[in-house]
Amino acid sequence: MLALIDEHPTSDAIALDPDQLHPSPFSLTIYGDPAAEVDDLIASIREHGILVPLVVAAPGPEPKTWEVISGHRRLACAQAIGMVEVPCQVRQIPEGEARRTAVLEYNRQRRKTFSQLMREADALEQLWGAQARARRRANLLGSDHTECRNSDDRTTGTGRTDAAIARHLGLGGKDLYRQARTLWRMAASGDARAQSGVDQIDRGTRTIHAAYKDLRRRDRFGSDFRPTPYDVWTFRHDRAFGIPHPGSIPPALVAHTLHYYTAPGALVVDPMAGGGTTLDVCQSMGRRCLAYDLHPVRPEIHPHDVRLGLPPEAQGADLIFCDPPYHTMLAARYAPDSIAMAPLSGWMEFLHDLARHAFAALRPGGYLALLLAAQTEKDIPAGFGYIDHAFLGYEAARRAGFQPERRISCPMDGAYLPQHVRRARTEGRLLGQVRDLLVMRRPSRSMEGEPFDLASAGNGSV
Ligand SMILES: C[S@@+](CC[C@H](N)C(=O)[O-])C[C@H]1O[C@@H](n2cnc3c(N)ncnc32)[C@H](O)[C@@H]1O
């Protein structure tokens, strides 16, 4: 491709006023706003000036401005520090395909994010596709167009195009490129989990292959689910469900709750949905799900403050799955208006309101599943060794009219960093891992209003 660029005549470097330059719109679509990436460069340019001239395309007749082909970050720095001229090398590159090709080629050695690479891939598919069509037309027209006919044919056949693009982008083979493209296209179609995968690859916290495998595991609970028959649920996180979020939970916790307490097609409501683990597991297991959060992070999660009750469309739910932020634990990672910031009295009041709202929204016989950890590490009232949130939740739910169905132990796996563990060992402190899923049932209509306490229940009559 360099040959294509070398075809365009070049000048010696000249000095141009930054106001006479404009960025290439094509470059902005592929690589984004250069002003967002100048931190490392600006100090150097302030001290030493611009050492390597920008490459600009010779202007058309009017208005007389030069389009930048290479050097968008340098131009952004020059504008930010008020330079009055910048060194530029002018090339005669015609508008259109040749200019787009030149932009891609000049950026070939730049360190790029996954998104930038995939936008390049989209552009290459288009450019090479257009070149292939031109060659096919030339072949049909005969020998007058030998120049086109004999050009390189990397775009003949999808397989070869994929391999050529993968090679060009430095992505390895066509298989990895195809995985990248699947992920990229799903993200472009608005799929929140694919978008989160792309984000993680951009930040370097996930590989293309791992993010692609997450997509393939999405129906894991629908096709290959072997529930544990025990009431101790210790499961691992799985990034195929939910998007990264403070306090996100292992999806198997939700899958087991759905398995034991709902039927396929049931309406499940998660009023504090976070990264959307419940939403994704419901999709995998064929349950309908309505998800809400004070600060939604995905388009399928609707903004709603559960302190106001549950929205009308959630009425008649079969299951309400609720994973509140456990009082002040992790509070700093939630928004200031989150219930995580409330003092203990406000938090207890919240549990009572939540239980009342859940009772009102559930159908008779429906379940409230409340995930609550015991608090042991901080904000413990004087004289207390810990706060038993599951017990507080139980009291609140009982007072709202719920019957106890089950208490399932869900120890918090991997909640501590190695340095926390080392410190606890030296200080002789027990680290808290107790977390419970409290499952409470709204009584069926025939039992509603009946007194329900252990003293009056009698042996085996509950
Ligand atoms: C522990 S996180 C839920 C994590 C989720 N289960 C997951 O796997 O990603 C608790 C969520 O409750 C939300 N929240 C806090 N106060 C709320 C309120 N008053 N109404 C609705 N959501 C609230 C927070 O924004 C946070 O996303």
Side-chain angles (χ1 to χ4, degrees), residues 232-273:
V232 177
W233 294 353
T234 316
F235 307 118
R236 286 167 185 256
H237 281 82
D238 179 345
R239 293 210 230 177
F241 298 85
I243 64 172
H245 194 275
S248 67
I249 53 175
L253 278 185
V254 181
H256 279 76
T257 314
L258 299 187
H259 174 79
Y260 286 112
Y261 299 105
T262 66
L267 176 61
V268 177
V269 175
D270 185 340
M272 306 179 94

Side-chain angles (χ1 to χ4, degrees), residues 192-193 196 200 214 238-245 248-249 251 273-281 298:
R193 277 186 277 175
S196 154
Q200 293 172 58
D214 288 348
D238 179 345
R239 293 210 230 177
F241 298 85
I243 64 172
H245 194 275
S248 67
I249 53 175
T277 309
T278 308
L279 197 66
D280 295 334
V281 178
R298 293 169 56 166

Side-chain angles (χ1 to χ4, degrees), residues 80-422:
I81 60 184
M83 289 172 75
V84 290
E85 52 182 37
V86 291
C88 295
Q89 198 172 58
V90 184
R91 305 201 86 150
Q92 306 293 330
I93 308 177
E95 278 189 67
E97 194 177 302
R99 234 175 245 191
R100 290 199 294 277
T101 305
V103 167
L104 292 177
E105 198 55 34
Y106 272 109
N107 277 286
R108 195 120 176 225
Q109 289 169 17
R110 152 200 191 125
R111 225 178 56 217
K112 288 166 227 165
T113 64
F114 174 69
S115 296
Q116 288 171 333
L117 279 176
M118 292 314 291
R119 284 197 288 270
E120 277 191 348
D122 289 345
L124 285 174
E125 277 189 27
Q126 255 184 22
L127 282 167
W128 292 358
Q131 287 164 7
R133 282 191 293 282
R135 277 198 303 279
R136 278 197 294 276
R137 262 199 314 277
N139 284 337
L140 285 175
L141 288 175
S143 55
D144 286 353
H145 299 263
T146 43
E147 185 192 318
C148 274
R149 281 202 316 175
N150 293 337
S151 58
D152 127 43
D153 72 342
R154 65 196 151 207
T155 53
T156 316
T158 322
R160 252 189 276 173
T161 314
D162 289 349
I165 292 182
R167 216 175 24 253
H168 190 90
L169 300 179
L171 264 187
K174 68 175 182 308
D175 292 338
L176 188 63
Y177 173 62
R178 284 180 180 161
Q179 294 180 356
R181 196 174 55 181
T182 305
L183 191 68
W184 180 245
R185 295 215 166 135
M186 287 177 75
S189 74
D191 185 296
R193 277 186 277 175
Q195 283 168 351
S196 154
V198 166
D199 255 23
Q200 293 172 58
I201 304 171
D202 276 349
R203 280 185 275 112
T205 56
R206 199 121 187 93
T207 64
I208 297 172
H209 184 60
Y212 174 78
K213 269 193 3 209
D214 288 348
L215 295 185
R216 313 287 308 192
R217 278 206 322 281
R218 282 175 174 200
D219 67 345
R220 188 186 125 193
F221 295 115
S223 58
D224 176 26
F225 180 51
R226 294 193 54 214
T228 170
Y230 304 107
D231 62 1
V232 177
W233 294 353
T234 316
F235 307 118
R236 286 167 185 256
H237 281 82
D238 179 345
R239 293 210 230 177
F241 298 85
I243 64 172
H245 194 275
S248 67
I249 53 175
L253 278 185
V254 181
H256 279 76
T257 314
L258 299 187
H259 174 79
Y260 286 112
Y261 299 105
T262 66
L267 176 61
V268 177
V269 175
D270 185 340
M272 306 179 94
T277 309
T278 308
L279 197 66
D280 295 334
V281 178
C282 282
Q283 192 185 35
S284 169
M285 294 180 72
R287 270 62 166 179
R288 293 171 294 141
C289 183
L290 291 171
Y292 305 93
D293 200 285
L294 200 52
H295 299 287
V297 291
R298 293 169 56 166
E300 318 96 298
I301 302 178
H302 310 288
H304 184 74
D305 184 341
V306 68
R307 286 169 283 203
L308 306 175
L310 285 156
E313 67 275 14
Q315 303 304 310
D318 297 290
L319 168 75
I320 295 178
F321 186 95
C322 196
D323 169 29
Y326 322 117
H327 188 224
T328 53
M329 294 181 264
L330 293 178
R333 290 158 72 185
Y334 297 110
D337 54 345
S338 158
I339 191 61
M341 308 301 281
L344 190 54
S345 57
W347 164 251
M348 288 167 67
E349 214 174 289
F350 166 77
L351 284 175
H352 283 273
D353 290 345
L354 177 68
R356 275 191 305 105
H357 296 318
F359 192 91
L362 282 166
R363 68 164 170 80
Y367 294 99
L368 166 67
L370 204 50
L371 189 62
L372 291 164
Q375 186 164 354
T376 57
E377 303 304 316
K378 67 182 191 67
D379 297 339
I380 311 294
F384 282 67
Y386 81 115
I387 307 176
D388 194 328
H389 291 298
F391 183 75
L392 298 180
Y394 177 89
E395 265 193 347
R398 290 286 289 116
R399 202 163 312 156
F402 281 99
Q403 296 172 350
E405 179 67 30
R406 197 73 193 220
R407 179 175 181 158
I408 299 147
S409 172
C410 308
M412 284 190 289
D413 183 32
Y416 298 96
L417 297 170
Q419 60 266 34
H420 294 148
V421 179
R422 274 197 302 275

